[in-house]
């Protein structure tokens, strides 16, 4: 006698298949954004800072003040995977009863996927960190392009706003945007990234999450 599989198990299997397919497809789209960015930062076969990058870092170096150093040294930690992933998991647990099945997983998948994509990009592009001015924190040991902090905080913010059950409201959306901008600005102010690293990281993080949310929300 053949035992029928429970409908809930079938639904879970279909959900996992959809999530994996969506993750692969939209991770590829985010990778395309980074590939296009990498084409920009390569000049004459050498991966280096652009004139625009140097000009922005020079302006920010002139703006350095002890009190601003302290604020942005703290703010930059908001983009760390060590902070974002535990928060994403906690919020995922809170949202587990809201929305279509699987949307609670949007936050941890978004943050974890963004981190993996960012570090794959670093290995692929192999762009050195800026060295025009002394960094205000210990220079990270990994490579520069793209900014993992910028990509991770952008992915987290987009996923939090889009997650079923979050209901952030306009105040929450504005707060999320300000945190993203603060982390992005901190990476430049602290002289650990080029502006193009940060910009491409933010674009790739947003692309990844928007596509992933569409994939997760596509199933009834």
């Amino acid at each position: 006698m053949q035992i029928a599989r429970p409908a809930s198990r079938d639904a879970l299997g279909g959900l996992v298949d959809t999530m994996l397919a969506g993750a692969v497809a939209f991770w590829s789209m985010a990778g395309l954004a980074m590939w296009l960015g990498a084409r920009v930062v390569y000049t004459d076969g050498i991966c280096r800072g652009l004139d625009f990058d140097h000009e922005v870092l020079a302006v920010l170096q002139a703006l350095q003040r002890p009190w601003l150093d302290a604020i942005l040294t703290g703010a930059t930690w908001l983009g760390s995977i060590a902070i974002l992933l535990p928060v994403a998991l906690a919020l995922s647990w809170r949202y587990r009863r809201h929305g279509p099945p699987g949307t609670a997983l949007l936050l941890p998948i978004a943050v974890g996927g963004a981190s993996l994509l960012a570090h794959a990009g670093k290995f692929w592009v192999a762009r050195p960190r800026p060295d025009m001015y002394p960094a205000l924190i210990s220079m990270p040991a990994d490579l520069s392009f793209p900014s993992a902090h910028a990509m991770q905080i952008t992915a987290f913010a987009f996923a939090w706003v889009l997650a079923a059950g979050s209901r952030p409201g306009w105040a929450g959306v504005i707060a999320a945007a300000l945190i993203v901008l603060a982390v992005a600005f901190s990476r430049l102010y602290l002289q650990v990234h080029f502006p193009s690293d940060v910009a491409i990281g933010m674009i790739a993080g947003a692309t990844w999450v928007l596509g992933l949310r569409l994939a997760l929300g596509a199933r009834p």
Side-chain angles (χ1 to χ4, degrees):
M1 181 177 64
Q2 184 176 5
I3 300 176
R5 293 177 62 192
S8 60
R9 186 175 299 176
D10 290 337
L12 179 60
L15 173 63
V16 170
D17 291 343
T18 299
M19 289 170 62
L20 291 175
V24 170
F26 293 107
W27 205 25
S28 298
M29 289 177 61
L32 176 61
M34 289 206 304
W35 180 80
L36 292 173
R39 293 290 297 261
V40 173
V41 303
Y42 267 99
T43 57
D44 300 326
I46 301 173
C47 191
R48 57 191 176 194
L50 309 175
D51 291 341
F52 170 77
D53 289 327
H54 294 153
E55 291 168 2
V56 171
L57 292 181
V59 170
L60 294 179
Q61 195 275 338
L63 292 177
Q64 290 176 1
R65 301 290 185 276
W67 62 271
L68 195 52
D69 297 353
I71 291 173
L72 292 176
T73 297
T76 204
W77 278 96
L78 296 175
S80 170
I81 191 69
I83 301 295
L84 292 177
L85 189 56
V87 174
L89 290 169
L91 289 174
S92 176
W93 177 258
R94 177 183 176 187
Y95 299 153
R96 68 192 186 282
R97 296 182 182 276
H98 300 276
T103 53
L105 297 176
L106 177 64
L107 273 161
I109 292 175
V111 173
S115 181
L116 290 174
L117 182 59
H119 286 87
K122 289 175 183 291
F123 177 78
W124 170 51
V125 177
R127 188 188 202 182
R129 296 273 179 172
D131 59 0
M132 292 175 58
Y133 306 102
L136 299 183
I137 58 174
S138 297
M139 186 66 79
D142 57 2
L143 294 161
S144 194
F145 181 93
S147 168
H149 279 64
M151 188 179 295
Q152 289 159 185
I153 190 62
T154 302
F156 177 89
F158 269 70
W160 177 68
V161 168
L162 296 173
S166 63
R167 299 186 180 91
W170 282 111
V173 171
I174 292 171
L178 290 175
I179 291 172
V180 170
L181 292 175
V183 171
F185 182 74
S186 74
R187 305 310 284 172
L188 305 178
Y189 180 90
L190 298 172
Q191 300 287 330
V192 296
H193 274 293
F194 294 108
S196 49
D197 298 334
V198 171
I200 297 302
M202 294 172 72
I203 292 169
T207 302
W208 156 243
V209 173
L210 289 173
L212 182 62
R213 179 64 183 91
L214 289 174
L216 292 178
R219 286 185 70 87

